[in-house]
Amino acid sequence: MTVAAAAVLTMVGAAPATADRPAGPGPGASRGDDFTVVGHRGASGYRPEHTLAAYELAARMGADYIEPDLVTTKDGVLVARHEPEIGGTTDVAEHPEFAGRKTTKDLDGVAVTGWFTEDFTLAELRTLRATERIPDVRQRNTLYDGRYPVPTFQEVIDLSKRLSRELGRPIGIYPETKHPTFFQRQGLALEPKVVEALNRNGLNRPGAKVFVQSFEVSNLRWLSSRLRVPLVQLTSASGAPYDFVANGDPRTYADLVTASGLRWVAGYADGLGPEKNQVIPRDAAGFLGEPTALVRDAHRAGLTVHPYTFRAENQFLPADFRSSVVPAEYGDLFAEIAAFRAAGIDGLFSDNPDVAVAARDDRPAA
């Protein structure tokens, strides 16, 4: 990444250059009966996340988009992993040849110990195999441990193109840049590689079935002048964008989702990806409360709203919809989705895209 580009990424207070991107909600924005289902890390309720098998299953289940989280290898290749640390999502610990790569790094202000993608070349990373990230909850997914390699971003794009042809409908991609500040500090910035990949594949154009998302702000502002596809600002129910923290900006995610904050976000982004508790909070006992003003205020600012993450297991559901006290058993995900649709969301991220698609098709919003 050039020095000039890096400087732009740190200028969070400066207005971004105007890009030839769609104004307001982009492809997949939902109004009326149109509702966007994103296969969160693929169909990760049924296969180890961020594998080609998980992405393909999500598409075959009816998802409109598949979502790769992007990190990079030592030799600058974008690959799909939830985090740069891969001890919990691959069998790297079983490879004695990589024992010396285990290390502790500062990941967004937190000391994390493990193995990191940026310490492996792509060729080395390809000797590893994916494993289930939460085996205690998704024991059935462990059946597939060791079967799938870590995919590159290009392979995910190629898969989406192949499945679009085979299924007769466009399968979009919804990549997230993971820990941008972390990678920028290592001289391995993700953003130029994302732009290059979309350009190379003819996807950096209005109308392409692509969203690009990030929990940080400055990288989205940098991308806003270089990409012609919709950008999505991710937010959390707590904390702040790490680039804000790193640059001494006192604003938090809570500031970004105020009415004025959302108008500011709309200056560089087209959508909002909030944690679902920001749409409908839970009370102390875990039951759903009343919807907040977030969806209304986001729509007034011209932003599409795709909250995360909708999962079928009791562990992740509001108390209203749990079937038992057993965390791994399925509860009523249909009811949860119905409650959030009633709050006006435009789509959602789900580990169980088949349920989300059925909820969309069987229970259209009033």
Side-chain angles (χ1 to χ4, degrees), residues 96 142 150 262 313 325:
T142 64
V150 174
L262 291 167
E313 293 91 355
V325 297

Side-chain angles (χ1 to χ4, degrees), residues 20-334:
D20 185 12
R21 297 185 297 110
S30 299
R31 294 293 184 266
D33 291 335
D34 189 15
F35 190 78
T36 300
V37 174
V38 183
H40 183 245
R41 309 174 194 168
S44 50
Y46 311 107
R47 299 290 187 275
E49 65 188 31
H50 294 308
T51 59
L52 292 181
Y55 298 135
E56 179 162 356
L57 183 58
R60 293 190 181 281
M61 286 179 162
D64 303 300
Y65 290 82
I66 53 179
E67 186 224 14
D69 292 341
L70 300 181
V71 296
T72 186
T73 64
K74 184 178 183 179
D75 44 350
V77 180
L78 292 176
V79 295
R81 286 291 87 189
H82 176 49
E83 296 286 344
E85 199 288 305
I86 54 173
T89 60
T90 72
D91 60 0
V92 64
E94 299 174 15
H95 287 253
E97 69 273 25
F98 298 134
R101 305 279 178 94
K102 189 174 186 180
T103 187
T104 299
K105 298 191 179 188
D106 182 327
L107 185 61
D108 293 0
V110 178
V112 175
T113 299
W115 292 263
F116 293 79
T117 57
E118 68 274 11
D119 294 332
F120 292 78
T121 65
L122 178 62
E124 291 172 329
L125 201 63
R126 297 293 252 178
T127 67
L128 308 179
R129 291 296 180 268
T131 59
E132 171 56 38
R133 183 177 60 86
I134 47 175
D136 291 342
V137 179
R138 292 176 173 164
Q139 192 274 333
R140 290 182 181 180
N141 283 9
T142 64
L143 174 66
Y144 299 95
D145 284 357
R147 296 187 62 86
Y148 309 122
V150 174
T152 65
F153 185 33
Q154 184 60 53
E155 288 174 327
V156 177
I157 293 173
D158 291 342
L159 176 67
S160 72
K161 291 180 177 180
R162 175 175 68 80
L163 290 174
S164 295
R165 293 190 298 268
E166 181 180 336
L167 299 175
R169 61 183 179 86
I171 304 300
I173 56 170
Y174 209 128
E176 178 187 346
T177 57
K178 296 293 292 192
H179 302 285
T181 296
F182 172 78
F183 283 111
Q184 290 160 24
R185 288 174 171 176
Q186 298 183 76
L188 291 167
L190 305 172
E191 295 76 19
K193 302 179 194 304
V194 172
V195 174
E196 178 188 359
L198 296 180
N199 284 337
R200 185 173 64 246
N201 288 276
L203 294 173
N204 188 8
R205 55 179 174 79
K209 193 124 176 145
V210 179
F211 285 96
V212 176
Q213 54 178 333
S214 179
F215 276 101
E216 295 190 17
V217 173
S218 51
N219 70 319
L220 286 180
R221 291 171 69 84
W222 186 86
L223 286 167
S224 70
S225 64
R226 291 159 177 84
L227 291 182
R228 305 172 72 197
V229 300
L231 305 180
V232 174
Q233 178 65 66
L234 298 172
T235 61
S236 175
S238 61
Y242 187 69
D243 56 324
F244 280 11
V245 176
N247 292 308
D249 189 320
R251 288 176 294 173
T252 65
Y253 286 123
D255 295 315
L256 293 185
V257 299
T258 62
S260 60
L262 291 167
R263 289 192 295 270
W264 184 79
V265 168
Y268 62 87
D270 309 277
L272 188 75
E275 184 177 336
K276 62 186 181 182
N277 289 348
Q278 294 178 289
V279 176
I280 308 180
R282 301 183 190 184
D283 65 20
F287 290 88
L288 289 182
E290 293 298 317
T292 68
L294 186 147
V295 174
R296 180 201 65 195
D297 291 342
H299 286 166
R300 287 178 177 175
L303 297 168
T304 301
V305 182
H306 294 163
Y308 66 92
T309 304
F310 291 80
R311 299 172 164 120
E313 293 91 355
N314 288 322
Q315 175 173 322
F316 304 111
L317 287 166
D320 317 56
F321 309 127
R322 296 170 194 159
S323 62
S324 72
V325 297
V326 180
E329 288 185 352
Y330 276 12
D332 192 351
L333 179 56
F334 282 102

